[in-house]
Amino acid sequence: MLRAITHLPADTSRPAPLDTITLAFDERRLRRKVLTTKGGTEVLLDFPQVVTLEHGGALELEDGSHVEVRAAEELLYAVRGRDTAHLVRLAWHIGNRHTPAQLEMDRLLIKRDHVLKAMLEGLGAKVENATEPFFAEHGAYHSHGEHGHALLAR
């Protein structure tokens, strides 16, 4: 089994990857786990602290090769408000329920949950199905030593 020695951010120059690994939002934040690449190679990730594997980043393996990290497409809701103030209120209600959200200028993305959908529609939101990679904000109590991963605008 190959062993990952570090995580390289997306903007790091490196040779072509040995393979790729595609992970959902919840799977990209970890400290110790055996991951399986697209080609079936097992990689042991055992870091001293929790890391967030960045989309487009890579795991550097002990033999010097790299495995590129990809964000999986997920079943989400795209939430839109009538205007910016309404969208901010909707974001507050989502956050009040401790629900991970991707914050963008004109919409919020959350994982599909019929109860939240009904609540948001009751608050006047337009809620549509979306299937795309999810880059939610990490909570205020997570490590601040990481690079930001959520996108404000795409």
Side-chain angles (χ1 to χ4, degrees):
M1 178 180 314
L2 295 173
R3 186 174 159 268
I5 58 172
T6 191
H7 173 251
L8 303 172
D11 59 0
T12 304
S13 176
R14 58 187 179 268
L18 168 73
D19 206 339
T20 62
I21 189 157
T22 303
L23 302 167
F25 170 74
D26 294 340
E27 298 170 325
R28 293 192 313 267
R29 186 166 176 81
L30 48 110
R31 188 192 75 74
R32 186 174 203 282
K33 188 170 185 174
V34 174
L35 304 171
T36 304
T37 67
K38 182 178 178 181
T41 302
E42 288 188 333
V43 175
L44 172 63
L45 186 139
D46 186 11
F47 294 148
Q49 297 176 351
V50 173
V51 297
T52 299
L53 302 180
E54 184 178 350
H55 173 74
L59 294 172
E60 183 177 5
L61 307 180
E62 61 190 347
D63 68 357
S65 63
H66 298 87
V67 173
E68 186 172 353
V69 176
R70 309 304 273 147
E73 290 199 350
E74 301 189 50
L75 301 177
L76 308 171
Y77 287 136
V79 180
R80 297 181 192 278
R82 292 183 298 273
D83 54 31
T84 303
H86 186 223
L87 191 63
V88 168
R89 281 192 295 280
L90 296 170
W92 183 89
H93 284 283
I94 291 168
N96 193 43
R97 280 139 188 93
H98 303 280
T99 299
Q102 180 174 325
L103 310 175
E104 297 183 357
M105 297 301 290
D106 62 343
R107 70 179 186 165
L108 308 169
L109 289 172
I110 61 171
K111 288 190 174 190
R112 291 185 193 174
D113 177 310
H114 70 280
V115 173
L116 285 175
K117 181 180 189 219
M119 177 201 69
L120 292 164
E121 288 174 337
L123 293 168
K126 180 178 178 183
V127 182
E128 299 174 325
N129 289 340
T131 303
E132 59 189 82
F134 187 43
F135 303 99
E137 290 288 325
H138 291 288
Y141 298 105
H142 289 285
S143 170
H144 297 286
E146 300 173 355
H147 300 296
H149 302 289
L151 304 176
L152 290 177
R154 287 186 160 229

